[in-house]
């Protein structure tokens, strides 16, 4: 009897009804982390608060490690760029809101067993790098090119398949300007942190996180559709496991609110005192600009228009919104929902898919408003 | 019927046998995060990889917020220090390994329901700040002083008690030099990140994380033992809920190893190929210096001495150790354990306590060594 990868890897599965989060899901949740929702207050997420998801280990890349980026395959002039060669191209800085395709997964019933996000797998950063289209123009993409494949240095096994993490973009997306894809070497003005792809990563504004290949080593232009694991097995919208499924691409609209007041440590329930409570949050969509945010303070019975702040020309970043709420003693449920220019909005009941992807169920924040406004309210 | 804090806060409880991690524990696990174990490779943990635990929300403190630190109570000359006033005192930089008192909690049976750490609630940083003993000397501690109370700006409710986070140290610890307690304003040479206490925090080298009060606003010298919630209700070693319990203080010894090879995404099981595998890890103790690390590659049947690297005079930081392992095809279980100068070591069966504190159960890392060493091993 051999010892094979299949021994350590199991097929995708759904949790049984009432099955709590398992040790495997917890091991992912203690490594990866979301944005603490109070950090929605920052325009740009401070280091360490931006969500992180890595499939395998974070590669250990000491500062002086040679890291040639290759651009090869169906190109006329293959490139091999060291850091100085890359920095010789014009640099662009873009503020981007990045969300994990699996955000909201742990709220689904049945729950797909994977990284168990609630609603917090999001963050906004300023990414600096070279537009991919400039690198591809320099290399000279052949006329028969179909996909551009991105290979990271992160290595692992998933459902029995040993792999370096790889994803592809269609050539027209890779060379496009809406969004302009970046090969990024800085985050918020500093070198990339290890967990965000040091020394190089892809940034595909408006797309879910799985497209933004970290620890990027190779860009390979191919003349047939890419069929790697992360493209055709994982990250597909499916109802049944045998289906081909739809690929995941751009982020669907979502609004999140900063939970007001203060929390209970264990239940995370929110407590406010009577009076005006300045509700605020952020909204984003990778599909089309957000044009509207509505707030409900009574569990969705009534909806009120929130004030949406200008985007200041930052199409790919979240927008701040605010709404003043007059809280009265009692229990309340706050909600917020975004609508984009194409009329896409957020559901009150989440349609289900087997991978738990592209969820944008309206957030619900239960709030207890105390009777009194003094510190004696705890008595 | 009033709406009271007790409505939102529940007593501490233990999970039922076979009860999976609940939504409340998951909500904590997606906010707070551990050190991805591969990051044990760094002497100093890069920003964003150091473990984080916050009881309530991370206070939002814009850069220009006035933040006077007061030193008051049983002192002859109360102080009120703005940032410039604080920086007028001599600065000290100390490399400190910080561990959460609840690390390992989720491995206990029955499991105390709280932040569900496995083994990863640790990190090492260089903290720069003013020795607390200098501030207390400047203020002039009265002869009847007993405790020094530290008040943070983080506000919440816990088991029905509304509070700012507060902890105390005995006067002799607060004014001592082994360890030298710091009021820190920088982490790894940069201003504190919001989640690590910006703009000021306490650092108590060798003590569990609960002592290192973040978002520090007030230092208050008192003439009676401090009886606040985090001192006498939480953070006590107890078998039964009614007991007074023992306070948590210094970190017990622990070694962790960098899981070798590469992981399966979902199971986090490790895969290596046959041959020499350089095992490495870190070991620390807040009680006394670590003097020995042993490694087992056969689930604890045999133990081998690991090479322990010098501490370079950094008493409060973890020490690196390494051990070369010759992996043969099959299933293995790796373990490592630290022993300190006082002979304290790590248990193979974890003694239980009701809060799930001060665990240092020996880490177990299951590893599959494949038959072959080529990429075809997956077939």
């Amino acid at each position: 009897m051999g010892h094979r990868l299949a021994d350590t890897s199991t097929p995708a599965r759904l949790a049984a009804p009432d099955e709590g989060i398992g040790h495997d899901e917890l091991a992912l949740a203690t490594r990866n982390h979301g944005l603490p929702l109070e950090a929605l207050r920052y325009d740009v997420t401070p280091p360490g608060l931006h969500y992180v998801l890595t499939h395998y280990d974070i590669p250990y890349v000491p500062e002086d490690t040679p890291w040639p980026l290759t651009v090869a395959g169906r190109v006329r002039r293959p490139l091999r760029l060291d850091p100085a060669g890359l920095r010789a191209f014009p640099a662009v800085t873009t503020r981007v809101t990045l969300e994990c395709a699996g955000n909201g997964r742990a709220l689904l019933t049945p729950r797909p067993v994977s990284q168990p996000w609630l609603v917090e797998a999001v963050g906004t950063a300023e990414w600096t790098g070279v537009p991919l289209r400039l690198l591809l123009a320099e290399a000279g993409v052949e006329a028969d090119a179909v996909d551009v494949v991105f290979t990271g240095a992160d290595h692992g096994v998933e459902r029995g398949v040993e792999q370096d993490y790889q994803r592809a973009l269609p050539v027209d997306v890779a060379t496009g300007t809406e969004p302009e894809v970046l090969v990024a070497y800085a985050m918020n003005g500093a070198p990339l942190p290890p967990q965000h792809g040091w020394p190089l990563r892809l940034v595909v504004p408006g797309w879910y996180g799985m497209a933004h290949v970290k620890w990027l080593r190779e860009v390979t232009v191919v003349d047939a559709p890419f069929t790697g694991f992360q493209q055709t097995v994982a990250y597909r919208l499916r109802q049944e496991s045998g289906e081909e499924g739809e690929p995941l691409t751009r982020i669907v609209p979502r609004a999140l609110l900063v939970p007001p007041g203060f929390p209970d440590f264990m239940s995370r329930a929110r407590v406010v005192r009577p009076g005006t409570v300045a509700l605020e949050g952020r909204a984003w969509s990778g599909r089309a600009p957000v044009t509207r945010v509505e707030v409900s303070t009574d569990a969705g019975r009534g909806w009120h228009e929130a004030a949406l702040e200008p985007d200041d020309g930052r199409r790919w970043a979240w927008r701040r919104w605010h709404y003043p709420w007059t809280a009265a003693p009692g229990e309340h449920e706050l909600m917020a929902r975004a609508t984009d220019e194409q009329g896409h909005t957020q559901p009150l009941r989440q349609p289900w898919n087997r991978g738990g992807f592209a969820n944008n169920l309206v957030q619900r924040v239960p709030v207890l408003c105390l009777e009194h406004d003094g510190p004696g309210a705890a008595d």
Side-chain angles (χ1 to χ4, degrees), chain A residues 343-367:
Chain A
H344 299 120
T345 187
Q346 299 183 240
L348 292 168
R349 289 193 56 183
Q350 181 62 53
W352 186 88
N353 68 85
R354 206 183 153 80
F357 295 122
N359 305 294
N360 62 344
L361 179 69
V362 169
Q363 177 195 19
R364 292 171 185 267
V365 180
V367 176

Side-chain angles (χ1 to χ4, degrees), chain A residues 9-340:
Chain A
S9 228
T10 50
R13 73 178 190 91
L14 305 175
D18 302 320
E19 179 184 332
I21 299 289
H23 188 287
D24 49 356
E25 293 165 288
L26 178 60
L28 284 169
T30 56
R31 287 177 55 79
N32 299 307
H33 68 90
L35 179 88
L37 294 182
E38 63 272 28
L40 289 165
R41 289 194 179 93
Y42 300 93
D43 293 331
V44 173
T45 308
L49 295 180
H50 193 292
Y51 99 89
V52 173
L53 180 87
T54 66
H55 279 238
Y56 315 123
D57 286 1
I58 299 167
Y60 179 67
V61 185
E63 219 167 297
D64 53 357
T65 307
W67 196 274
L69 177 72
T70 61
V71 181
R74 301 295 302 151
V75 297
R76 290 187 289 280
R77 295 172 298 274
L79 308 179
R80 184 180 166 90
L81 297 164
D82 63 13
L86 197 64
R87 279 171 181 70
F89 287 84
V92 166
T93 296
T94 309
R95 189 178 295 184
V96 177
T97 294
L98 194 50
E99 184 176 7
C100 184
N103 201 10
R105 178 183 288 122
L107 297 173
L108 294 176
T109 306
R111 181 180 80 250
V113 173
S114 185
Q115 167 71 36
W117 295 123
L118 298 166
V119 299
E120 62 293 286
V122 67
T124 296
E126 301 224 302
W127 302 99
T128 301
V130 178
L132 177 65
R133 62 188 177 82
L134 300 184
L135 299 181
L136 291 172
E138 177 76 10
V141 174
E142 298 278 14
D144 60 0
V146 173
D147 274 355
V148 182
V149 182
F150 305 94
T151 304
D154 41 336
H155 185 87
V157 54
E158 213 160 332
R159 301 186 222 163
V161 181
E162 186 177 343
Q163 58 192 285
D164 290 338
Y165 188 90
Q166 286 189 310
R167 285 276 309 182
L169 293 172
V171 165
D172 63 333
V173 175
T175 57
T177 56
E178 287 291 326
E180 183 172 62
V181 180
L182 298 183
V183 173
Y185 48 74
M187 180 184 190
N188 302 340
L192 302 180
Q195 69 275 29
H196 289 293
W198 161 264
L200 291 180
R201 74 173 298 168
L202 205 66
V203 172
V204 190
W207 286 52
Y208 283 115
M210 79 279 146
H212 304 231
V213 176
K214 299 189 282 288
W215 311 291
L216 180 66
R217 294 199 304 192
E218 294 172 20
V219 176
T220 312
V221 180
V222 295
D223 62 2
F226 176 64
T227 60
F229 180 91
Q230 304 296 343
Q231 203 84 13
T232 58
V233 180
Y235 293 117
R236 308 287 286 201
L237 290 166
R238 294 188 180 94
Q239 292 299 309
E240 301 289 340
S241 62
E243 290 170 18
E244 184 185 340
E246 286 297 310
L248 283 153
T249 58
R250 291 187 184 227
I251 299 171
V252 297
R254 192 196 283 268
L256 286 178
L257 58 83
V258 175
F262 57 85
D264 177 71
F265 170 65
M266 194 59 226
S267 69
R268 309 314 291 176
R270 308 299 304 192
V271 181
V272 300
R273 306 205 187 280
T276 301
V277 177
L279 298 180
E280 66 169 303
R282 302 278 170 173
W284 63 93
S285 169
R287 304 269 172 117
V290 169
T291 50
R292 185 180 194 196
V293 173
E294 297 156 285
V295 170
S296 174
T297 58
D298 57 3
R301 282 181 289 276
W303 289 90
H304 314 279
E305 206 77 22
L308 187 60
E309 298 189 358
D311 77 354
D312 291 332
R314 296 196 175 97
R315 160 66 189 100
W316 305 109
W318 57 25
R319 286 174 71 177
R320 187 171 177 275
W321 56 263
H322 56 95
Y323 175 79
W325 171 44
T326 305
E331 292 175 11
H332 305 276
E333 190 171 67
L334 308 181
M335 301 163 77
R337 73 177 169 206
T339 302
D340 73 18

